[in-house]
Amino acid sequence: MRDGFGRTIDYLRVSVTDKCNLRCIYCMPPEGVEWMPHSEVLTLEETQGICAAAATLGVNKIKVTGGEPLVRRGLTTFIRSVKRTPGIESVTLTTNAVLLDDFLDELVDAGIDTVNISLDTLDADVFRYITGSDGFEKVLRSIDMARAARLAVKINCVPIRGINEGDIVPLAELARHEKTAVRFIELMPLGLGANLTPIPHAETFERLERALGILRAFDGRLGNGPASYYSVEGFAGKIGFISAVSHSFCGACNRLRLTGTGFLKPCLASDVGIDLKAIVRGGGDDEAIAEAIRVAVTLKPMRHDFYQGNGNNRHKKKNMFRIGG
Ligand code: SAM
Ligand code: SF4
C-alpha cells in the first residue's frame, strides 16, 4: 500500500495488552492505571485476523508490542499463527525482557525473528529507579539467552537528562562483541515523557564518538523502521538512532499501529484512526477489514506535530503503553 505522500506501508505494530509488569517513569505512573476491561480488548484470534487482512494489502512485517506483550496469556501461540499467515515475512517482539528468559524457547520455536529489548541502564539501582522493579538480573539473563539462541537482538535505550546519561556509553558497549544493535531513541513528549528532559540525538552521538571513536553511517538495510545505523571500528554490532524529535522520522514512516482495543492508528501522534474492533465484532468480513485498513492509510498525516502549537498538551494525554511505542 502507498499513502498519500508516496510512502510504502508494509509494517503493522500490534499492541496486545495495555498491562505491564514495570512502571517506567516516562511511560506508566507508579500507582498503575485502570486497565482496559477485558471485553474491550481484542482477543488474540481477532488480532490475528486483522494481521491476515493487512497481509493481503502488502503488510509483511508485524511487531508485537504492548504494554508488556509477554504478560498476555497465549502470546507464543499467537506469534506462531501470525508467523504462518500468508504474506507475513517477519514477526518481531518489543519487550522489557523481564519475562523473556521464561518464554525464549517457546518464542524461538514459534518462529520469532527479532527481539527488541528495552533497557535504559546497566546499573541495578538506576534500573529500579526508572522501572520501579527489581527485574534487572532477569533482563541481563534474557539478553544472554537470546544471544545464545542466535536470535537477532536489538537493545533500545531512551536517554533522559539527569537519569541515565552515564549509561549511554556502557549500553553501546553491548554491541562491541556481539552482532546486537544498540539503538538510542529520543524521548518523545508523550504521556509522562512530557515531564522529563530528552537528551538530543546530537549529544548522544557526540558522547559516543568521544568514547568509542568515529561513528560511520551504515548504508545497508537493517530492521524495519526509521532508525539510522552507524558502524564503529572494532564493533560487531551497529549503533542506531531513532530521532522522533530532532530529525523527524516521518519521511521514512512505513507503519500502522493497532491498539489492544482494536483502534487502527495511522500515526503515533494523531488521534485519527479507525475502530476495527467495531467492524470485526459487527460481523465485518475480511474484505470489510481490508477496506478499513486502506482508508486508515489514506488518513496518514505527513508528519507528527510534537512541539508545535498546542500539540504538547494534547500529547500529554497519550499513553505509550496503550499505543505500543
Ligand atoms: N513494554 C515493552 C517495552 O518496554 O519494550 C513494549 C512497549 S513500550 C511502550 C515500547 C517502547 O516505547 C519502549 O522501548 C519504551 O522505551 C518506548 N517509550 C515509551 N514511552 C516513550 C516516550 N515517551 N518516548 C520515547 N519512547 C518511549
Ligand atoms: Fe511497561 Fe514498556 Fe511502558 Fe516500561 S516502556 S512501563 S516496560 S510498557
Side-chain angles (χ1 to χ4, degrees):
M1 280 177 288
R2 284 207 182 251
D3 74 0
F5 303 97
R7 295 171 295 198
T8 299
I9 309 302
D10 57 6
Y11 177 31
L12 177 63
R13 291 180 72 96
V14 175
S15 171
V16 291
T17 181
D18 62 345
K19 296 192 174 129
C20 189
N21 48 353
L22 300 187
R23 296 286 177 272
C24 300
I25 47 171
Y26 48 79
C27 186
M28 214 181 251
E31 67 279 11
V33 292
E34 216 172 292
W35 306 127
M36 287 293 174
H38 194 61
S39 59
E40 290 295 315
V41 176
L42 289 181
T43 66
L44 291 177
E45 290 73 22
E46 289 169 334
T47 309
Q48 197 271 332
I50 291 171
C51 293
T56 65
L57 300 172
V59 167
N60 53 25
K61 300 178 261 291
I62 302 286
K63 162 83 69 201
V64 181
T65 176
E68 173 48 39
L70 291 173
V71 304
R72 177 90 194 243
R73 209 171 296 154
L75 188 81
T76 48
T77 308
F78 167 72
I79 286 176
R80 187 184 303 277
S81 63
V82 175
K83 180 72 186 186
R84 287 182 180 166
T85 301
I88 298 299
E89 291 165 13
S90 94
V91 182
T92 61
L93 177 74
T94 294
T95 173
N96 61 39
V98 172
L99 297 173
L100 183 62
D101 53 345
D102 302 332
F103 286 101
L104 196 73
D105 292 346
E106 280 180 47
L107 287 166
V108 170
D109 191 57
I112 195 83
D113 291 286
T114 301
V115 285
N116 289 22
I117 297 178
S118 304
L119 179 63
D120 299 320
T121 178
L122 284 174
D123 180 312
D125 292 330
V126 180
F127 183 91
R128 197 174 303 108
Y129 177 75
I130 293 176
T131 67
S133 145
D134 283 325
F136 182 62
E137 293 302 327
K138 287 258 288 168
V139 176
L140 291 189
R141 186 175 134 82
S142 294
I143 293 173
D144 284 348
M145 284 177 64
R147 287 165 144 182
R150 301 254 155 262
L151 260 184
V153 177
K154 293 179 183 162
I155 309 282
N156 291 333
C157 162
V158 180
I160 307 169
R161 180 77 67 218
I163 293 181
N164 61 348
E165 293 169 68
D167 284 291
I168 292 172
V169 173
L171 280 164
E173 285 285 349
L174 293 175
R176 187 182 284 275
H177 300 297
E178 303 265 352
K179 276 198 158 171
T180 308
V182 177
R183 306 167 346 147
F184 296 93
I185 303 177
E186 254 177 0
L187 180 73
M188 288 178 258
L190 290 180
L192 296 179
N195 305 328
L196 298 162
T197 310
I199 299 183
H201 166 126
E203 182 180 331
T204 304
F205 195 95
E206 245 179 68
R207 280 173 182 266
L208 290 169
E209 281 210 319
R210 233 179 293 131
L212 308 174
I214 292 171
L215 270 60
R216 284 185 207 290
F218 173 72
D219 290 337
R221 180 106 191 98
L222 203 70
N224 298 332
S228 41
Y229 285 98
Y230 294 80
S231 307
V232 181
E233 176 94 37
F235 272 50
K238 301 280 180 271
I239 304 295
F241 295 87
I242 301 177
S243 308
V245 181
S246 301
H247 306 278
S248 163
F249 51 24
C250 307
C253 187
N254 57 350
R255 58 196 56 196
L256 296 169
R257 293 177 159 83
L258 181 67
T259 69
T261 54
F263 190 69
L264 187 65
K265 283 173 72 69
C267 173
L268 170 71
S270 162
D271 299 325
V272 172
I274 303 236
D275 182 1
L276 287 187
K277 183 174 68 201
I279 296 171
V280 171
R281 295 196 180 165
D285 59 9
D286 291 352
E287 184 41 39
I289 301 169
E291 183 51 29
I293 297 172
R294 277 193 211 99
V295 172
V297 167
T298 68
L299 299 175
K300 223 171 141 54
M302 190 165 78
R303 51 162 301 149
H304 68 64
D305 60 353
F306 296 148
Y307 299 117
Q308 280 169 37
N310 68 357
N312 268 16
N313 288 332
R314 197 162 51 73
H315 296 313
K316 271 186 186 173
K317 295 188 195 115
K318 293 199 167 72
N319 291 306
M320 278 297 232
F321 59 88
R322 297 242 154 85
I323 305 172

